[in-house]
mmCIF file of all heavy atoms in Angstrom:
data_model
loop_
_atom_site.group_PDB
_atom_site.id
_atom_site.type_symbol
_atom_site.label_atom_id
_atom_site.label_comp_id
_atom_site.label_asym_id
_atom_site.label_seq_id
_atom_site.Cartn_x
_atom_site.Cartn_y
_atom_site.Cartn_z
ATOM 1 N N LEU A 1 0.842 -1.189 0.000
ATOM 2 C CA LEU A 1 0.000 0.000 0.000
ATOM 3 C C LEU A 1 0.879 1.241 0.000
ATOM 4 O O LEU A 1 1.865 1.312 0.732
ATOM 5 C CB LEU A 1 -0.897 0.030 1.248
ATOM 6 C CG LEU A 1 -1.803 -1.176 1.497
ATOM 7 C CD1 LEU A 1 -2.459 -1.069 2.866
ATOM 8 C CD2 LEU A 1 -2.868 -1.286 0.414
ATOM 9 N N ILE A 2 0.511 2.217 -0.818
ATOM 10 C CA ILE A 2 1.157 3.526 -0.826
ATOM 11 C C ILE A 2 0.098 4.555 -0.478
ATOM 12 O O ILE A 2 -0.908 4.680 -1.193
ATOM 13 C CB ILE A 2 1.777 3.866 -2.199
ATOM 14 C CG1 ILE A 2 2.726 2.750 -2.667
ATOM 15 C CG2 ILE A 2 2.504 5.214 -2.135
ATOM 16 C CD1 ILE A 2 3.977 2.581 -1.866
ATOM 17 N N ASP A 3 0.319 5.262 0.616
ATOM 18 C CA ASP A 3 -0.676 6.230 1.088
ATOM 19 C C ASP A 3 -2.050 5.592 1.267
ATOM 20 O O ASP A 3 -3.093 6.163 0.922
ATOM 21 C CB ASP A 3 -0.781 7.422 0.122
ATOM 22 C CG ASP A 3 -0.336 8.720 0.783
ATOM 23 O OD1 ASP A 3 -0.081 8.718 2.007
ATOM 24 O OD2 ASP A 3 -0.255 9.745 0.081
ATOM 25 N N GLY A 4 -2.073 4.353 1.739
ATOM 26 C CA GLY A 4 -3.318 3.659 2.015
ATOM 27 C C GLY A 4 -3.971 2.991 0.819
ATOM 28 O O GLY A 4 -4.985 2.314 0.965
ATOM 29 N N GLN A 5 -3.369 3.171 -0.389
ATOM 30 C CA GLN A 5 -3.952 2.602 -1.608
ATOM 31 C C GLN A 5 -3.086 1.450 -2.122
ATOM 32 O O GLN A 5 -1.861 1.553 -2.125
ATOM 33 C CB GLN A 5 -4.050 3.674 -2.702
ATOM 34 C CG GLN A 5 -4.934 4.850 -2.340
ATOM 35 C CD GLN A 5 -6.372 4.449 -2.072
ATOM 36 O OE1 GLN A 5 -6.967 3.698 -2.845
ATOM 37 N NE2 GLN A 5 -6.931 4.937 -0.968
ATOM 38 N N PRO A 6 -3.714 0.354 -2.579
ATOM 39 C CA PRO A 6 -2.933 -0.755 -3.123
ATOM 40 C C PRO A 6 -2.089 -0.307 -4.317
ATOM 41 O O PRO A 6 -2.515 0.541 -5.110
ATOM 42 C CB PRO A 6 -4.000 -1.765 -3.569
ATOM 43 C CG PRO A 6 -5.222 -1.408 -2.795
ATOM 44 C CD PRO A 6 -5.165 0.075 -2.585
ATOM 45 N N LEU A 7 -0.917 -0.882 -4.426
ATOM 46 C CA LEU A 7 -0.017 -0.575 -5.536
ATOM 47 C C LEU A 7 -0.684 -0.973 -6.853
ATOM 48 O O LEU A 7 -1.073 -2.130 -7.025
ATOM 49 C CB LEU A 7 1.274 -1.364 -5.344
ATOM 50 C CG LEU A 7 2.488 -1.026 -6.186
ATOM 51 C CD1 LEU A 7 2.971 0.390 -5.893
ATOM 52 C CD2 LEU A 7 3.617 -2.010 -5.913
ATOM 53 N N PRO A 8 -0.855 -0.022 -7.795
ATOM 54 C CA PRO A 8 -1.490 -0.376 -9.071
ATOM 55 C C PRO A 8 -0.645 -1.393 -9.835
ATOM 56 O O PRO A 8 0.586 -1.416 -9.712
ATOM 57 C CB PRO A 8 -1.547 0.956 -9.827
ATOM 58 C CG PRO A 8 -1.338 2.012 -8.803
ATOM 59 C CD PRO A 8 -0.486 1.400 -7.743
ATOM 60 N N GLU A 9 -1.309 -2.208 -10.637
ATOM 61 C CA GLU A 9 -0.585 -3.261 -11.346
ATOM 62 C C GLU A 9 0.014 -2.771 -12.661
ATOM 63 O O GLU A 9 1.076 -3.239 -13.068
ATOM 64 C CB GLU A 9 -1.505 -4.460 -11.589
ATOM 65 C CG GLU A 9 -1.835 -5.194 -10.295
ATOM 66 C CD GLU A 9 -2.453 -6.547 -10.551
ATOM 67 O OE1 GLU A 9 -2.560 -6.950 -11.726
ATOM 68 O OE2 GLU A 9 -2.831 -7.196 -9.568
ATOM 69 N N GLU A 10 -0.662 -1.865 -13.334
ATOM 70 C CA GLU A 10 -0.162 -1.436 -14.644
ATOM 71 C C GLU A 10 -0.896 -0.178 -15.091
ATOM 72 O O GLU A 10 -1.765 0.347 -14.389
ATOM 73 C CB GLU A 10 -0.349 -2.554 -15.685
ATOM 74 C CG GLU A 10 -1.776 -3.024 -15.808
ATOM 75 C CD GLU A 10 -1.902 -4.304 -16.640
ATOM 76 O OE1 GLU A 10 -0.916 -5.022 -16.827
ATOM 77 O OE2 GLU A 10 -3.020 -4.547 -17.104
ATOM 78 N N GLY A 11 -0.522 0.295 -16.283
ATOM 79 C CA GLY A 11 -1.236 1.400 -16.914
ATOM 80 C C GLY A 11 -0.996 2.750 -16.263
ATOM 81 O O GLY A 11 -0.010 2.958 -15.560
ATOM 82 N N ARG A 12 -1.928 3.654 -16.509
ATOM 83 C CA ARG A 12 -1.775 5.031 -16.032
ATOM 84 C C ARG A 12 -1.705 5.156 -14.515
ATOM 85 O O ARG A 12 -0.934 5.967 -14.003
ATOM 86 C CB ARG A 12 -2.913 5.896 -16.580
ATOM 87 C CG ARG A 12 -2.752 6.208 -18.058
ATOM 88 C CD ARG A 12 -3.804 7.185 -18.537
ATOM 89 N NE ARG A 12 -3.625 7.494 -19.940
ATOM 90 C CZ ARG A 12 -4.437 8.286 -20.627
ATOM 91 N NH1 ARG A 12 -5.484 8.837 -20.020
ATOM 92 N NH2 ARG A 12 -4.214 8.533 -21.902
ATOM 93 N N PRO A 13 -2.517 4.367 -13.769
ATOM 94 C CA PRO A 13 -2.402 4.478 -12.305
ATOM 95 C C PRO A 13 -0.992 4.171 -11.809
ATOM 96 O O PRO A 13 -0.485 4.839 -10.912
ATOM 97 C CB PRO A 13 -3.418 3.451 -11.795
ATOM 98 C CG PRO A 13 -4.428 3.342 -12.891
ATOM 99 C CD PRO A 13 -3.634 3.479 -14.159
ATOM 100 N N LEU A 14 -0.347 3.164 -12.415
ATOM 101 C CA LEU A 14 1.025 2.832 -12.020
ATOM 102 C C LEU A 14 1.980 3.949 -12.427
ATOM 103 O O LEU A 14 2.877 4.326 -11.656
ATOM 104 C CB LEU A 14 1.456 1.504 -12.652
ATOM 105 C CG LEU A 14 2.874 1.046 -12.303
ATOM 106 C CD1 LEU A 14 3.033 0.831 -10.804
ATOM 107 C CD2 LEU A 14 3.223 -0.239 -13.069
ATOM 108 N N ALA A 15 1.799 4.507 -13.608
ATOM 109 C CA ALA A 15 2.646 5.612 -14.059
ATOM 110 C C ALA A 15 2.513 6.813 -13.127
ATOM 111 O O ALA A 15 3.510 7.473 -12.793
ATOM 112 C CB ALA A 15 2.283 6.004 -15.491
ATOM 113 N N ARG A 16 1.271 7.099 -12.684
ATOM 114 C CA ARG A 16 1.051 8.220 -11.757
ATOM 115 C C ARG A 16 1.756 7.967 -10.431
ATOM 116 O O ARG A 16 2.364 8.855 -9.849
ATOM 117 C CB ARG A 16 -0.447 8.441 -11.535
ATOM 118 C CG ARG A 16 -1.127 9.220 -12.653
ATOM 119 C CD ARG A 16 -2.471 9.767 -12.205
ATOM 120 N NE ARG A 16 -3.425 8.710 -11.895
ATOM 121 C CZ ARG A 16 -4.227 8.143 -12.797
ATOM 122 N NH1 ARG A 16 -4.199 8.549 -14.064
ATOM 123 N NH2 ARG A 16 -5.070 7.190 -12.435
ATOM 124 N N LEU A 17 1.656 6.719 -9.957
ATOM 125 C CA LEU A 17 2.311 6.385 -8.697
ATOM 126 C C LEU A 17 3.831 6.535 -8.821
ATOM 127 O O LEU A 17 4.487 7.097 -7.938
ATOM 128 C CB LEU A 17 1.971 4.957 -8.282
ATOM 129 C CG LEU A 17 2.708 4.558 -7.012
ATOM 130 C CD1 LEU A 17 1.817 4.765 -5.806
ATOM 131 C CD2 LEU A 17 3.211 3.149 -7.063
ATOM 132 N N ARG A 18 4.383 6.030 -9.916
ATOM 133 C CA ARG A 18 5.846 6.119 -10.099
ATOM 134 C C ARG A 18 6.313 7.562 -10.167
ATOM 135 O O ARG A 18 7.432 7.878 -9.774
ATOM 136 C CB ARG A 18 6.257 5.348 -11.356
ATOM 137 C CG ARG A 18 6.260 3.845 -11.142
ATOM 138 C CD ARG A 18 6.708 3.124 -12.376
ATOM 139 N NE ARG A 18 6.866 1.688 -12.128
ATOM 140 C CZ ARG A 18 6.786 0.771 -13.065
ATOM 141 N NH1 ARG A 18 6.535 1.126 -14.329
ATOM 142 N NH2 ARG A 18 6.947 -0.507 -12.769
ATOM 143 N N ALA A 19 5.456 8.445 -10.664
ATOM 144 C CA ALA A 19 5.809 9.864 -10.692
ATOM 145 C C ALA A 19 5.942 10.434 -9.287
ATOM 146 O O ALA A 19 6.643 11.426 -9.076
ATOM 147 C CB ALA A 19 4.756 10.649 -11.484
ATOM 148 N N ASP A 20 5.280 9.800 -8.317
ATOM 149 C CA ASP A 20 5.321 10.261 -6.931
ATOM 150 C C ASP A 20 6.410 9.584 -6.107
ATOM 151 O O ASP A 20 6.561 9.865 -4.924
ATOM 152 C CB ASP A 20 3.969 10.010 -6.241
ATOM 153 C CG ASP A 20 2.898 10.991 -6.707
ATOM 154 O OD1 ASP A 20 3.276 12.091 -7.154
ATOM 155 O OD2 ASP A 20 1.701 10.648 -6.621
ATOM 156 N N ILE A 21 7.133 8.643 -6.726
ATOM 157 C CA ILE A 21 8.187 7.921 -6.012
ATOM 158 C C ILE A 21 9.501 8.146 -6.763
ATOM 159 O O ILE A 21 9.684 7.646 -7.871
ATOM 160 C CB ILE A 21 7.877 6.418 -5.911
ATOM 161 C CG1 ILE A 21 6.563 6.194 -5.157
ATOM 162 C CG2 ILE A 21 9.017 5.676 -5.217
ATOM 163 C CD1 ILE A 21 6.146 4.735 -5.060
ATOM 164 N N GLY A 22 10.407 8.899 -6.147
ATOM 165 C CA GLY A 22 11.721 9.106 -6.753
ATOM 166 C C GLY A 22 12.617 7.923 -6.464
ATOM 167 O O GLY A 22 12.577 7.358 -5.368
ATOM 168 N N MET A 23 13.415 7.519 -7.446
ATOM 169 C CA MET A 23 14.315 6.384 -7.216
ATOM 170 C C MET A 23 15.710 6.718 -7.716
ATOM 171 O O MET A 23 15.881 7.228 -8.823
ATOM 172 C CB MET A 23 13.799 5.118 -7.897
ATOM 173 C CG MET A 23 14.647 3.902 -7.576
ATOM 174 S SD MET A 23 13.675 2.385 -7.478
ATOM 175 C CE MET A 23 14.911 1.249 -6.836
ATOM 176 N N VAL A 24 16.688 6.416 -6.883
ATOM 177 C CA VAL A 24 18.095 6.627 -7.221
ATOM 178 C C VAL A 24 18.786 5.274 -7.157
ATOM 179 O O VAL A 24 18.720 4.586 -6.131
ATOM 180 C CB VAL A 24 18.750 7.633 -6.249
ATOM 181 C CG1 VAL A 24 20.224 7.814 -6.592
ATOM 182 C CG2 VAL A 24 18.023 8.974 -6.303
ATOM 183 N N PHE A 25 19.421 4.892 -8.269
ATOM 184 C CA PHE A 25 19.983 3.555 -8.417
ATOM 185 C C PHE A 25 21.499 3.563 -8.178
ATOM 186 O O PHE A 25 22.122 4.615 -8.081
ATOM 187 C CB PHE A 25 19.731 3.040 -9.840
ATOM 188 C CG PHE A 25 18.278 2.944 -10.215
ATOM 189 C CD1 PHE A 25 17.612 4.033 -10.762
ATOM 190 C CD2 PHE A 25 17.568 1.760 -10.044
ATOM 191 C CE1 PHE A 25 16.278 3.949 -11.130
ATOM 192 C CE2 PHE A 25 16.240 1.663 -10.405
ATOM 193 C CZ PHE A 25 15.594 2.756 -10.946
ATOM 194 N N GLN A 26 22.077 2.351 -8.159
ATOM 195 C CA GLN A 26 23.543 2.245 -8.083
ATOM 196 C C GLN A 26 24.181 2.904 -9.300
ATOM 197 O O GLN A 26 25.127 3.679 -9.171
ATOM 198 C CB GLN A 26 23.961 0.765 -8.054
ATOM 199 C CG GLN A 26 23.475 -0.015 -6.865
ATOM 200 C CD GLN A 26 23.864 -1.481 -6.982
ATOM 201 O OE1 GLN A 26 24.948 -1.808 -7.449
ATOM 202 N NE2 GLN A 26 22.981 -2.372 -6.552
ATOM 203 N N SER A 27 23.686 2.546 -10.485
ATOM 204 C CA SER A 27 24.152 3.190 -11.720
ATOM 205 C C SER A 27 23.249 4.391 -11.940
ATOM 206 O O SER A 27 22.058 4.324 -11.673
ATOM 207 C CB SER A 27 24.054 2.222 -12.896
ATOM 208 O OG SER A 27 22.767 1.669 -12.956
ATOM 209 N N PHE A 28 23.794 5.459 -12.424
ATOM 210 C CA PHE A 28 23.125 6.756 -12.305
ATOM 211 C C PHE A 28 21.934 6.902 -13.241
ATOM 212 O O PHE A 28 21.027 7.676 -13.004
ATOM 213 C CB PHE A 28 24.156 7.870 -12.537
ATOM 214 C CG PHE A 28 25.495 7.535 -11.917
ATOM 215 C CD1 PHE A 28 26.633 7.415 -12.698
ATOM 216 C CD2 PHE A 28 25.594 7.294 -10.553
ATOM 217 C CE1 PHE A 28 27.850 7.071 -12.130
ATOM 218 C CE2 PHE A 28 26.807 6.949 -9.969
ATOM 219 C CZ PHE A 28 27.938 6.838 -10.766
ATOM 220 N N ASN A 29 21.950 6.131 -14.356
ATOM 221 C CA ASN A 29 20.794 6.086 -15.272
ATOM 222 C C ASN A 29 20.421 7.456 -15.844
ATOM 223 O O ASN A 29 19.252 7.712 -16.117
ATOM 224 C CB ASN A 29 19.570 5.465 -14.582
ATOM 225 C CG ASN A 29 19.728 3.976 -14.350
ATOM 226 O OD1 ASN A 29 20.815 3.440 -14.502
ATOM 227 N ND2 ASN A 29 18.656 3.310 -13.974
ATOM 228 N N LEU A 30 21.402 8.331 -16.002
ATOM 229 C CA LEU A 30 21.141 9.606 -16.672
ATOM 230 C C LEU A 30 21.144 9.383 -18.181
ATOM 231 O O LEU A 30 21.824 8.490 -18.689
ATOM 232 C CB LEU A 30 22.220 10.633 -16.290
ATOM 233 C CG LEU A 30 22.290 10.997 -14.805
ATOM 234 C CD1 LEU A 30 23.579 11.772 -14.522
ATOM 235 C CD2 LEU A 30 21.084 11.813 -14.382
ATOM 236 N N PHE A 31 20.394 10.209 -18.897
ATOM 237 C CA PHE A 31 20.417 10.125 -20.362
ATOM 238 C C PHE A 31 21.723 10.733 -20.862
ATOM 239 O O PHE A 31 21.959 11.933 -20.670
ATOM 240 C CB PHE A 31 19.219 10.857 -20.965
ATOM 241 C CG PHE A 31 17.906 10.180 -20.689
ATOM 242 C CD1 PHE A 31 16.984 10.732 -19.800
ATOM 243 C CD2 PHE A 31 17.588 8.980 -21.316
ATOM 244 C CE1 PHE A 31 15.769 10.107 -19.546
ATOM 245 C CE2 PHE A 31 16.373 8.353 -21.064
ATOM 246 C CZ PHE A 31 15.467 8.913 -20.179
ATOM 247 N N PRO A 32 22.581 9.935 -21.516
ATOM 248 C CA PRO A 32 23.916 10.430 -21.869
ATOM 249 C C PRO A 32 23.910 11.541 -22.915
ATOM 250 O O PRO A 32 24.837 12.353 -22.975
ATOM 251 C CB PRO A 32 24.627 9.179 -22.402
ATOM 252 C CG PRO A 32 23.532 8.249 -22.823
ATOM 253 C CD PRO A 32 22.389 8.516 -21.896
ATOM 254 N N HIS A 33 22.851 11.596 -23.747
ATOM 255 C CA HIS A 33 22.812 12.564 -24.840
ATOM 256 C C HIS A 33 22.164 13.887 -24.414
ATOM 257 O O HIS A 33 22.024 14.794 -25.234
ATOM 258 C CB HIS A 33 22.049 11.978 -26.031
ATOM 259 C CG HIS A 33 20.625 11.632 -25.716
ATOM 260 N ND1 HIS A 33 20.291 10.572 -24.898
ATOM 261 C CD2 HIS A 33 19.448 12.204 -26.079
ATOM 262 C CE1 HIS A 33 18.973 10.517 -24.787
ATOM 263 N NE2 HIS A 33 18.437 11.496 -25.496
ATOM 264 N N LYS A 34 21.772 13.981 -23.144
ATOM 265 C CA LYS A 34 21.167 15.220 -22.640
ATOM 266 C C LYS A 34 22.073 15.840 -21.585
ATOM 267 O O LYS A 34 22.740 15.120 -20.830
ATOM 268 C CB LYS A 34 19.780 14.944 -22.030
ATOM 269 C CG LYS A 34 18.729 14.540 -23.051
ATOM 270 C CD LYS A 34 17.372 14.413 -22.407
ATOM 271 C CE LYS A 34 16.294 14.099 -23.446
ATOM 272 N NZ LYS A 34 16.078 15.234 -24.374
ATOM 273 N N THR A 35 22.063 17.166 -21.524
ATOM 274 C CA THR A 35 22.843 17.838 -20.494
ATOM 275 C C THR A 35 22.255 17.548 -19.117
ATOM 276 O O THR A 35 21.133 17.046 -19.000
ATOM 277 C CB THR A 35 22.867 19.360 -20.708
ATOM 278 O OG1 THR A 35 21.514 19.853 -20.587
ATOM 279 C CG2 THR A 35 23.450 19.732 -22.055
ATOM 280 N N VAL A 36 23.010 17.890 -18.088
ATOM 281 C CA VAL A 36 22.550 17.653 -16.723
ATOM 282 C C VAL A 36 21.219 18.356 -16.476
ATOM 283 O O VAL A 36 20.266 17.754 -15.970
ATOM 284 C CB VAL A 36 23.625 18.129 -15.714
ATOM 285 C CG1 VAL A 36 23.062 18.194 -14.300
ATOM 286 C CG2 VAL A 36 24.824 17.196 -15.761
ATOM 287 N N ILE A 37 21.122 19.628 -16.849
ATOM 288 C CA ILE A 37 19.878 20.349 -16.570
ATOM 289 C C ILE A 37 18.719 19.794 -17.386
ATOM 290 O O ILE A 37 17.589 19.718 -16.895
ATOM 291 C CB ILE A 37 20.039 21.882 -16.764
ATOM 292 C CG1 ILE A 37 18.887 22.600 -16.060
ATOM 293 C CG2 ILE A 37 20.153 22.259 -18.245
ATOM 294 C CD1 ILE A 37 19.111 24.082 -15.846
ATOM 295 N N ASP A 38 18.988 19.340 -18.602
ATOM 296 C CA ASP A 38 17.921 18.728 -19.402
ATOM 297 C C ASP A 38 17.453 17.413 -18.787
ATOM 298 O O ASP A 38 16.258 17.076 -18.841
ATOM 299 C CB ASP A 38 18.388 18.506 -20.842
ATOM 300 C CG ASP A 38 18.432 19.798 -21.643
ATOM 301 O OD1 ASP A 38 17.788 20.781 -21.227
ATOM 302 O OD2 ASP A 38 19.130 19.829 -22.682
ATOM 303 N N ASN A 39 18.382 16.640 -18.221
ATOM 304 C CA ASN A 39 18.005 15.421 -17.505
ATOM 305 C C ASN A 39 17.056 15.734 -16.357
ATOM 306 O O ASN A 39 16.066 15.034 -16.141
ATOM 307 C CB ASN A 39 19.258 14.721 -16.956
ATOM 308 C CG ASN A 39 19.807 13.645 -17.871
ATOM 309 O OD1 ASN A 39 19.313 12.529 -17.903
ATOM 310 N ND2 ASN A 39 20.832 14.001 -18.624
ATOM 311 N N VAL A 40 17.350 16.799 -15.622
ATOM 312 C CA VAL A 40 16.543 17.153 -14.452
ATOM 313 C C VAL A 40 15.185 17.721 -14.872
ATOM 314 O O VAL A 40 14.175 17.498 -14.210
ATOM 315 C CB VAL A 40 17.313 18.149 -13.551
ATOM 316 C CG1 VAL A 40 16.469 18.581 -12.355
ATOM 317 C CG2 VAL A 40 18.610 17.510 -13.058
ATOM 318 N N MET A 41 15.146 18.435 -15.998
ATOM 319 C CA MET A 41 13.905 19.056 -16.461
ATOM 320 C C MET A 41 12.932 18.076 -17.111
ATOM 321 O O MET A 41 11.721 18.317 -17.140
ATOM 322 C CB MET A 41 14.232 20.150 -17.496
ATOM 323 C CG MET A 41 14.897 21.380 -16.942
ATOM 324 S SD MET A 41 15.468 22.484 -18.271
ATOM 325 C CE MET A 41 13.937 22.813 -19.175
ATOM 326 N N LEU A 42 13.445 16.980 -17.623
ATOM 327 C CA LEU A 42 12.659 16.105 -18.499
ATOM 328 C C LEU A 42 11.366 15.607 -17.847
ATOM 329 O O LEU A 42 10.275 15.737 -18.412
ATOM 330 C CB LEU A 42 13.517 14.919 -18.940
ATOM 331 C CG LEU A 42 12.894 14.007 -20.003
ATOM 332 C CD1 LEU A 42 12.681 14.769 -21.304
ATOM 333 C CD2 LEU A 42 13.780 12.793 -20.243
#
């Protein structure tokens, strides 16, 4: 549960939830062809 709601399985509800959860990985996963500020703005 996230904020009292079950984790959506797929589709737009899952995309909306992922937008509310920031994730930082071991590998930085930045877009190599974009500048730092463009990565942050995207």
